[in-house]
């Protein structure tokens, strides 16, 4: 059960909302040809900075938050790509470690004609999984004054990363930060002991629950959004939002009406990262004091902008770009 935020800082016009995230930092390579399944030579574009939590924090910073990230890269060129990108967005890097002797994490993605994606990940045996110690993270995040702390289910895939991420979320929730959860479920991990338990524990801790349609099918089978959102709000959540890809999004906040927004009609070039970008824009603006419908509209626009560019965070957008899309579509 999330605690009330003990400080009203998000709604304090004197400073922006402070948003943190933890997890895997990766570079990503995108196959230029479809349906290769990485089984035959293709042209790959990259390295693009990536990792679901990395996409999230880059966008939180661009959308107006003061942002901080806990993770690790290797002492190599790919690590430099990631560091450069996050620092250009203004993300505080005090908790981004350089792990010696192992490479930066990576992901290769290939798209299929049916819209599905095939990934090859190098996370567990890379720097991506070597997070700083939980105690250090909590101390620095507390000193930073984090209002919202985001966790993506992708950070629960590796057991060591999961243990650290959970410990940090527990401690920050205890200290009054709002935990934001994107379940981002990887179905192949559902059978692994510890993975689902960790997800459900985070569901308990979270103030913001932000599943996609695919996540909701696993977590709340057979239930309507209205039914599970109502249950979650009764259990103390501040907001529940369902990301629906090209169908847009639905959300509801405590004591408010349900808000449903259709997606912007855009040409989709690369869907990877839209969900992380959406979540970052939503929590930055909702915790920053905007209404649910405004925060959803901003997030829905950011998600639409995200799918328009190749590369997981290349379609991340500034507040100005988000506002321009919203103005153009009224
Ligand atoms: P990811 O694939 O990154 O894990 P997700 O499945 O969590 O993402 P999506 O629902 O795919 O999240 O996308 C998040 C949001 O981005 C949607 O709710 C919508 O607002 C916007 N969006 C996604 N795809 C499109 C699209 N094709 N056209 C317009 N907007 C889109
Ligand atoms: Mg998606």
């Amino acid at each position: 059960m999330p605690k009330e935020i003990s400080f009203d800082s998000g709604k304090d016009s004197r400073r922006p909302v402070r948003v943190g995230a933890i997890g895997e930092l990766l570079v990503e390579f995108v196959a230029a040809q479809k349906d290769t399944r990485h089984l035959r030579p293709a042209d790959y574009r990259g390295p693009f900075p990536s990792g679901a939590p990395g996409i999230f924090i880059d966008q939180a910073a661009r959308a107006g938050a003061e942002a901080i990230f806990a993770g690790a890269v290797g002492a190599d060129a790919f690590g430099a790509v990631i560091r450069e990108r996050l620092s250009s967005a203004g993300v505080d890097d005090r908790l981004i470690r350089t792990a010696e002797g192992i490479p930066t994490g990576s992901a290769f993605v290939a798209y299929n004609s049916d819209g599905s994606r095939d990934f090859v990940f190098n996370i567990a045996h890379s720097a991506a999984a070597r997070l700083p110690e939980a105690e250090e993270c909590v101390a620095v995040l507390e000193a930073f004054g984090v209002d919202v702390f985001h966790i993506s289910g992708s950070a629960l895939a590796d057991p060591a990363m999961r243990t650290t991420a959970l410990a940090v979320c527990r401690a920050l929730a205890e200290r009054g930060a709002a935990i934001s959860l994107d379940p981002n479920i990887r179905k192949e991990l559902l059978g692994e002991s510890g993975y689902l338990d960790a997800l459900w524990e985070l569901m308990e801790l979270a103030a913001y629950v932000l599943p996609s349609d695919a996540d909701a099918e696993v977590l709340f089978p057979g239930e309507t959004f209205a039914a599970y959102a109502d249950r979650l709000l009764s259990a103390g959540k501040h907001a529940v939002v369902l990301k629906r890809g090209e169908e847009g999004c639905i959300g509801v906040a405590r004591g408010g009406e349900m808000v449903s927004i259709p997606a912007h009609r855009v040409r989709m070039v690369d869907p990877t990262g839209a969900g992380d970008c959406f979540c970052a824009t939503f929590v930055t603006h909702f915790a920053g004091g905007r209404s649910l419908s405004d925060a959803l509209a901003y997030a829905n626009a950011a998600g639409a902008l995200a799918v328009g560019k190749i590369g997981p965070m290349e379609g991340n957008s500034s507040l100005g770009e988000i506002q321009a899309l919203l103005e153009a579509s009224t």
Side-chain angles (χ1 to χ4, degrees):
M1 149 101 71
K3 299 207 163 160
E4 289 296 324
I5 302 179
S6 53
F7 28 75
D8 197 21
S9 48
K11 297 183 171 66
D12 180 344
S13 57
R14 284 169 303 178
R15 74 161 174 86
V17 66
R18 291 181 181 152
V19 176
I22 191 167
E24 72 282 9
L25 289 172
L26 309 174
V27 286
E28 188 164 314
F29 293 85
V30 184
Q33 290 82 25
K34 280 195 177 158
D35 300 309
T36 70
R37 298 190 176 273
H38 304 297
L39 290 170
R40 52 176 193 274
D43 300 320
Y44 285 82
R45 288 187 62 184
F48 292 112
S50 187
I55 302 166
F56 172 96
I57 206 65
D58 178 84
Q59 177 61 17
R62 282 166 206 277
E66 281 181 13
I68 185 166
F69 193 83
V73 296
D76 53 26
F78 293 164
V81 166
I82 295 167
R83 282 190 178 281
E84 161 60 25
R85 171 63 191 231
L86 295 185
S87 79
S88 79
V91 176
D92 187 311
D93 66 357
R94 266 177 286 171
L95 286 171
I96 300 180
R97 291 179 59 201
T98 298
E100 297 296 331
I102 42 172
T104 298
S106 58
F108 293 75
V109 61
Y111 292 101
N112 300 313
S113 303
D114 64 4
S116 64
R117 293 174 279 192
D118 290 308
F119 283 98
V120 173
F121 287 110
N122 173 28
I123 298 178
H125 303 289
S126 76
R130 306 282 178 92
L131 302 181
E133 297 296 321
E135 293 73 24
E136 184 191 354
C137 292
V138 173
V140 173
L141 291 163
E142 222 188 343
F144 184 80
V146 80
D147 302 312
V148 179
F149 192 67
H150 181 79
I151 176 107
S152 164
S154 63
L156 305 175
D158 176 74
M161 192 155 56
R162 179 193 306 157
T163 303
T164 303
L166 260 181
V168 174
C169 288
R170 267 187 221 121
L172 291 175
E174 187 62 33
R175 287 160 172 77
I179 303 299
S180 155
L181 171 65
D182 176 356
N184 214 349
I185 288 176
R186 298 224 337 244
K187 288 200 171 132
E188 70 275 18
L189 296 172
L190 287 171
E192 199 191 299
S193 75
Y195 172 71
L196 255 189
D197 290 347
L199 256 183
W200 282 111
E201 182 178 348
L202 287 167
M203 191 77 80
E204 282 282 305
L205 294 174
Y208 305 121
V209 179
L210 313 167
S212 64
D213 270 328
D215 296 333
E217 274 170 32
V218 175
L219 295 169
F220 315 113
E223 272 192 284
T224 61
F225 174 76
Y228 64 78
D230 192 50
R231 185 156 38 75
L232 291 170
L233 292 175
S234 305
K237 308 303 171 203
H238 300 177
V240 183
V241 174
L242 180 65
K243 293 167 286 172
R244 311 204 58 214
E246 57 192 2
E247 306 287 316
C249 58
I250 313 178
V252 61
R254 214 162 38 183
E257 299 285 308
M258 201 148 84
V259 176
S260 176
I261 308 187
H264 293 271
R265 293 228 185 98
V266 291
R267 200 169 87 84
M268 188 178 75
V269 180
D270 183 351
T272 302
D276 311 305
C277 177
F278 178 103
C279 291
T281 311
F282 176 75
V283 299
T284 297
H285 289 289
F286 189 68
R290 282 190 205 273
S291 66
L292 176 78
S293 56
D294 282 358
L296 284 178
Y298 275 60
N300 192 54
L305 290 167
V307 302
K309 290 208 179 130
I310 292 183
M313 61 170 95
E314 303 315 301
N316 280 0
S317 46
S318 66
L319 197 50
E321 290 166 310
I322 292 170
Q323 280 163 340
L325 175 59
L326 288 173
E327 274 160 30
S329 50
T330 49

